[in-house]
Amino acid sequence: MTKAIYAGSFDPFTLGHLDIVNRAALIFDEIIIAISKNTSKKSLFTSDEKLEMTKKVIKNHSPQNVKVIQFSDGLIVDLAKKEGANVLLRGLRSSIDMEYEMNMAAANKTQNKEIESIFLMSDEKYRFVSSSLVKELAEFDGDLSLMLPVEVIESVEEKIRLKR
Ligand code: ADP
Protein backbone atom coordinates (compact mmCIF):
# COMPACT_ATOMS: atom_id res chain seq x y z
CA MET A 1 0.00 0.00 0.00
CA THR A 2 1.61 3.24 -1.16
CA LYS A 3 0.19 6.37 0.36
CA ALA A 4 1.25 9.85 -0.69
CA ILE A 5 0.89 13.09 1.25
CA TYR A 6 0.20 16.18 -0.86
CA ALA A 7 0.82 19.05 1.54
CA GLY A 8 0.46 22.75 0.88
CA SER A 9 -1.28 25.96 1.76
CA PHE A 10 -4.02 25.55 -0.89
CA ASP A 11 -5.25 29.14 -0.43
CA PRO A 12 -7.32 28.32 -2.43
CA PHE A 13 -7.26 24.85 -4.04
CA THR A 14 -6.90 25.34 -7.82
CA LEU A 15 -7.50 23.26 -10.94
CA GLY A 16 -3.70 22.83 -11.03
CA HIS A 17 -3.79 21.18 -7.60
CA LEU A 18 -6.79 19.06 -8.60
CA ASP A 19 -5.03 17.85 -11.75
CA ILE A 20 -1.98 16.74 -9.77
CA VAL A 21 -4.17 14.94 -7.21
CA ASN A 22 -6.28 13.11 -9.77
CA ARG A 23 -3.29 11.98 -11.82
CA ALA A 24 -1.50 10.83 -8.67
CA ALA A 25 -4.63 8.95 -7.55
CA LEU A 26 -4.10 6.64 -10.55
CA ILE A 27 -0.55 5.86 -9.42
CA PHE A 28 -0.78 5.61 -5.62
CA ASP A 29 -3.21 3.62 -3.48
CA GLU A 30 -4.16 6.65 -1.44
CA ILE A 31 -3.58 10.41 -1.63
CA ILE A 32 -3.86 12.51 1.50
CA ILE A 33 -4.20 16.23 0.84
CA ALA A 34 -2.81 17.95 3.94
CA ILE A 35 -3.86 21.58 4.29
CA SER A 36 -1.52 23.73 6.33
CA LYS A 37 -3.14 25.32 9.39
CA ASN A 38 -0.48 28.01 9.48
CA THR A 39 -2.49 30.74 7.89
CA SER A 40 -0.36 33.78 7.19
CA LYS A 41 -1.68 37.34 7.20
CA LYS A 42 -1.82 37.11 3.43
CA SER A 43 -4.19 34.12 3.50
CA LEU A 44 -7.59 34.70 2.00
CA PHE A 45 -9.19 31.72 3.75
CA THR A 46 -8.97 30.25 7.23
CA SER A 47 -7.78 26.71 7.53
CA ASP A 48 -11.30 25.49 8.34
CA GLU A 49 -12.70 27.21 5.27
CA LYS A 50 -9.98 25.65 3.11
CA LEU A 51 -10.73 22.22 4.56
CA GLU A 52 -14.45 22.48 3.88
CA MET A 53 -13.98 23.89 0.37
CA THR A 54 -11.33 21.34 -0.65
CA LYS A 55 -13.41 18.44 0.70
CA LYS A 56 -16.31 19.59 -1.45
CA VAL A 57 -14.09 19.72 -4.56
CA ILE A 58 -12.62 16.28 -3.89
CA LYS A 59 -16.04 14.74 -3.25
CA ASN A 60 -17.27 16.05 -6.62
CA HIS A 61 -14.19 15.62 -8.82
CA SER A 62 -11.82 12.97 -7.45
CA PRO A 63 -11.81 9.21 -7.00
CA GLN A 64 -12.51 7.53 -3.63
CA ASN A 65 -8.84 7.09 -2.73
CA VAL A 66 -8.30 10.80 -2.06
CA LYS A 67 -8.85 12.28 1.40
CA VAL A 68 -8.35 15.73 2.89
CA ILE A 69 -6.94 16.60 6.32
CA GLN A 70 -5.47 19.65 8.10
CA PHE A 71 -2.07 19.80 9.71
CA SER A 72 -0.48 22.28 12.08
CA ASP A 73 3.14 22.96 13.01
CA GLY A 74 5.56 20.09 12.66
CA LEU A 75 7.73 18.27 10.20
CA ILE A 76 5.99 17.05 7.10
CA VAL A 77 7.89 13.74 7.34
CA ASP A 78 6.41 13.24 10.82
CA LEU A 79 2.93 13.79 9.45
CA ALA A 80 3.70 11.29 6.68
CA LYS A 81 4.87 8.73 9.24
CA LYS A 82 1.80 9.26 11.40
CA GLU A 83 -0.45 8.74 8.38
CA GLY A 84 1.49 5.69 7.20
CA ALA A 85 2.59 7.46 4.01
CA ASN A 86 5.99 6.94 2.39
CA VAL A 87 5.71 9.51 -0.38
CA LEU A 88 5.60 13.29 -0.37
CA LEU A 89 3.84 14.36 -3.54
CA ARG A 90 4.55 17.77 -5.08
CA GLY A 91 3.71 19.50 -8.34
CA LEU A 92 6.22 21.24 -10.60
CA ARG A 93 5.23 24.17 -12.80
CA SER A 94 8.62 25.59 -13.72
CA SER A 95 12.34 25.55 -13.09
CA ILE A 96 11.69 28.03 -10.28
CA ASP A 97 9.45 25.48 -8.55
CA MET A 98 12.12 22.86 -9.20
CA GLU A 99 14.92 24.81 -7.49
CA TYR A 100 12.78 25.25 -4.40
CA GLU A 101 11.41 21.71 -4.41
CA MET A 102 14.86 20.13 -4.78
CA ASN A 103 15.99 21.90 -1.62
CA MET A 104 12.84 20.94 0.25
CA ALA A 105 13.21 17.31 -0.85
CA ALA A 106 16.83 17.27 0.30
CA ALA A 107 15.90 18.85 3.62
CA ASN A 108 13.10 16.34 4.17
CA LYS A 109 15.51 13.51 3.34
CA THR A 110 17.78 14.63 6.19
CA GLN A 111 14.85 14.20 8.56
CA ASN A 112 13.64 10.79 7.36
CA LYS A 113 15.45 8.95 4.62
CA GLU A 114 12.70 6.39 4.13
CA ILE A 115 10.27 8.97 2.80
CA GLU A 116 10.60 9.87 -0.89
CA SER A 117 9.55 13.10 -2.56
CA ILE A 118 7.89 12.43 -5.90
CA PHE A 119 7.00 15.13 -8.41
CA LEU A 120 4.44 15.36 -11.17
CA MET A 121 4.84 17.97 -13.88
CA SER A 122 2.01 20.42 -14.13
CA ASP A 123 -0.31 19.95 -17.08
CA GLU A 124 0.38 22.59 -19.72
CA LYS A 125 -3.08 24.08 -19.14
CA TYR A 126 -2.28 24.83 -15.51
CA ARG A 127 1.38 25.80 -15.64
CA PHE A 128 0.58 29.46 -15.01
CA VAL A 129 -1.99 28.82 -12.28
CA SER A 130 -1.11 29.70 -8.71
CA SER A 131 -3.18 30.53 -5.64
CA SER A 132 -1.57 33.97 -5.45
CA LEU A 133 -2.41 34.80 -9.10
CA VAL A 134 -5.99 33.73 -8.46
CA LYS A 135 -6.22 36.05 -5.44
CA GLU A 136 -4.88 38.99 -7.45
CA LEU A 137 -7.32 38.42 -10.31
CA ALA A 138 -10.22 37.96 -7.88
CA GLU A 139 -9.59 41.39 -6.35
CA PHE A 140 -10.31 42.90 -9.78
CA ASP A 141 -13.25 40.60 -10.60
CA GLY A 142 -11.20 38.63 -13.14
CA ASP A 143 -12.46 35.47 -14.84
CA LEU A 144 -11.31 32.50 -12.76
CA SER A 145 -13.13 29.76 -14.64
CA LEU A 146 -9.99 28.24 -16.21
CA MET A 147 -8.12 28.24 -12.89
CA LEU A 148 -10.50 27.16 -10.16
CA PRO A 149 -13.01 24.37 -9.57
CA VAL A 150 -16.58 25.75 -9.59
CA GLU A 151 -17.02 25.19 -5.86
CA VAL A 152 -13.95 27.35 -5.16
CA ILE A 153 -15.00 30.15 -7.54
CA GLU A 154 -18.16 30.67 -5.48
CA SER A 155 -16.23 30.83 -2.21
CA VAL A 156 -13.58 33.20 -3.59
CA GLU A 157 -16.20 35.56 -5.00
CA GLU A 158 -18.11 35.57 -1.73
CA LYS A 159 -14.95 36.18 0.29
CA ILE A 160 -13.91 39.11 -1.89
CA ARG A 161 -17.43 40.60 -1.62
CA LEU A 162 -17.30 40.41 2.18
CA LYS A 163 -13.86 42.03 2.26
CA ARG A 164 -15.09 45.10 0.35
P1 ADP B 1 2.98 25.63 -0.78
O1 ADP B 1 2.70 26.77 0.13
O2 ADP B 1 3.41 24.39 -0.10
O3 ADP B 1 3.82 25.98 -1.98
P2 ADP B 1 0.74 25.49 -2.62
O4 ADP B 1 -0.70 25.35 -2.24
O5 ADP B 1 1.11 26.76 -3.30
O6 ADP B 1 1.52 25.25 -1.29
O7 ADP B 1 1.19 24.29 -3.56
C1 ADP B 1 1.20 22.97 -3.14
C2 ADP B 1 1.88 22.11 -4.20
O8 ADP B 1 1.17 22.18 -5.42
C3 ADP B 1 3.31 22.52 -4.56
O9 ADP B 1 4.03 21.36 -4.85
C4 ADP B 1 3.13 23.34 -5.80
O10 ADP B 1 4.28 23.36 -6.61
C5 ADP B 1 2.02 22.57 -6.46
N1 ADP B 1 1.25 23.39 -7.39
C6 ADP B 1 0.71 24.60 -7.18
N2 ADP B 1 0.07 25.06 -8.28
C7 ADP B 1 0.22 24.09 -9.23
C8 ADP B 1 -0.19 23.96 -10.60
N3 ADP B 1 -0.85 24.93 -11.22
N4 ADP B 1 0.16 22.84 -11.26
C9 ADP B 1 0.87 21.87 -10.63
N5 ADP B 1 1.31 21.93 -9.36
C10 ADP B 1 0.97 23.02 -8.66
Side-chain angles (χ1 to χ4, degrees), residues 5-24:
I5 295 263
Y6 184 43
S9 18
F10 306 115
D11 184 53
F13 194 83
T14 68
L15 284 174
H17 294 132
L18 182 63
D19 177 64
I20 295 287
V21 164
N22 287 350
R23 283 160 56 208

Side-chain angles (χ1 to χ4, degrees), residues 2-159:
T2 313
K3 277 194 202 180
I5 295 263
Y6 184 43
S9 18
F10 306 115
D11 184 53
F13 194 83
T14 68
L15 284 174
H17 294 132
L18 182 63
D19 177 64
I20 295 287
V21 164
N22 287 350
R23 283 160 56 208
L26 300 172
I27 302 170
F28 301 104
D29 295 308
E30 189 175 341
I31 309 293
I32 303 168
I33 301 170
I35 301 178
S36 165
K37 270 192 172 181
N38 299 332
T39 43
S40 73
K41 276 197 206 131
K42 274 184 1 204
S43 295
L44 185 58
F45 293 99
T46 66
S47 171
D48 287 343
E49 288 169 338
K50 290 191 288 181
L51 180 71
E52 195 192 327
M53 199 170 22
T54 309
K55 275 189 169 169
K56 220 185 279 177
V57 173
I58 295 307
K59 185 166 168 264
N60 294 341
H61 305 285
S62 295
Q64 297 278 336
N65 60 339
V66 181
K67 74 172 192 179
V68 189
I69 62 169
Q70 285 170 309
F71 76 101
S72 42
D73 282 340
L75 298 176
I76 194 70
V77 290
D78 290 344
L79 175 72
K81 203 169 163 192
K82 184 172 143 239
E83 293 290 332
N86 49 357
V87 168
L88 302 177
L89 172 69
R90 300 288 288 175
L92 290 180
R93 285 162 293 187
S94 64
S95 54
I96 300 168
D97 272 357
M98 181 144 139
E99 278 295 313
Y100 173 78
E101 296 292 346
M102 276 174 77
N103 285 338
M104 284 305 293
N108 284 325
K109 229 9 199 263
T110 66
Q111 303 303 302
N112 185 332
K113 55 180 182 330
E114 281 158 21
I115 295 180
E116 285 295 342
S117 293
I118 294 190
F119 305 93
L120 288 187
M121 302 300 292
S122 175
D123 185 285
E124 219 172 283
K125 289 202 293 285
Y126 305 124
R127 211 178 282 163
F128 68 98
V129 178
S130 68
S131 301
S132 41
L133 174 69
V134 161
K135 284 181 271 192
E136 264 179 57
L137 289 172
E139 292 278 353
F140 304 110
D141 302 317
D143 177 4
L144 304 173
S145 57
L146 297 178
M147 297 173 219
L148 295 180
V150 278
E151 299 81 355
V152 177
I153 293 183
E154 285 164 17
S155 307
V156 169
E157 285 174 349
E158 169 149 18
K159 195 70 165 180

